[in-house]
Amino acid sequence: MKIRTTDTMNRKFKITLNRDSARASHVVCYSENEHPVSTRISGDESEFLRPDGTAVSFATVHMDKLAQAVKEQSEECGANGVIEEVTGNREFRIKLNGNGFLADYHVIYHPGNGNPVVTSSADNADVPLPDGSLIPFNKLGAGDLKSFVASMAKSNGLNFEFVDLDE
């Protein structure tokens, strides 16, 4: 993947490392073609170590060298590394639990697409809540998601955890 650069930019990339059941994600944000202005790591990061024992990191990688760094560091830790540009995406993680109910959702809103991409721990975004209702993700915008799901969780007596992965 060749990454084109321009004089002024705000770009975000998601790097996913996979090996067996271990998975880690790195989100790297650039305001120009220098070092990242922010990085965020989630998942099983301790499973992806270089031969010298240090963790895989993209915090000091120039944007034009990111694709090569992903390839090299993935090989070093024996993982499959995938890079994708996610500029403009909004991404959320939602966890609902209580009274024997447990569901984790990963929701991604892509620019220009009214319907978010939703995955869940049950491999099905249509997990009925205890009252039998479904969360209408395709009718909710990114700005409405948190309050709507919080209300549904409360009415179903569930604990609610919401993480905006862009913050």
Side-chain angles (χ1 to χ4, degrees):
M1 171 184 207
K2 177 96 169 122
I3 301 171
R4 291 182 41 207
T5 60
T6 60
D7 292 335
T8 60
M9 65 183 68
N10 286 311
R11 297 184 61 193
K12 181 168 60 168
F13 298 89
K14 181 176 182 180
I15 297 121
T16 305
L17 302 175
N18 291 294
R19 183 181 61 246
D20 301 323
S21 63
R23 177 183 169 105
S25 295
H26 297 249
V27 176
V28 185
C29 302
Y30 296 89
S31 65
E32 55 186 64
N33 188 28
E34 291 295 328
H35 295 291
V37 293
S38 67
T39 59
R40 187 180 67 251
I41 304 167
S42 62
D44 304 317
E45 67 178 294
S46 64
E47 293 293 319
F48 301 99
L49 302 176
R50 295 182 179 121
D52 67 1
T54 60
V56 168
S57 174
F58 304 99
T60 60
V61 178
H62 284 252
M63 187 170 65
D64 61 348
K65 304 288 185 194
L66 186 59
Q68 183 63 31
V70 170
K71 181 180 183 286
E72 290 171 0
Q73 292 190 46
S74 296
E75 289 172 359
E76 286 179 355
C77 67
N80 178 35
V82 177
I83 181 173
E84 68 178 305
E85 183 166 6
V86 294
T87 302
N89 288 359
R90 294 293 314 272
E91 192 169 354
F92 305 96
R93 188 171 307 129
I94 301 167
K95 183 175 185 176
L96 302 172
N97 65 39
N99 300 324
F101 180 85
L102 174 63
D104 292 300
Y105 300 94
H106 186 211
V107 183
I108 303 172
Y109 290 89
H110 296 281
N113 184 351
N115 293 325
V117 175
V118 182
T119 56
S120 78
S121 53
D123 294 327
N124 178 3
D126 293 330
V127 177
L129 297 176
D131 67 2
S133 64
L134 300 173
I135 300 171
F137 290 106
N138 62 342
K139 295 183 183 269
L140 298 170
D144 303 322
L145 184 63
K146 183 176 183 178
S147 62
F148 188 88
V149 176
S151 173
M152 289 188 81
K154 184 177 181 181
S155 68
N156 279 275
L158 300 173
N159 297 315
F160 171 67
E161 186 179 316
F162 185 92
V163 178
D164 183 338
L165 297 173
D166 293 319
E167 293 182 346

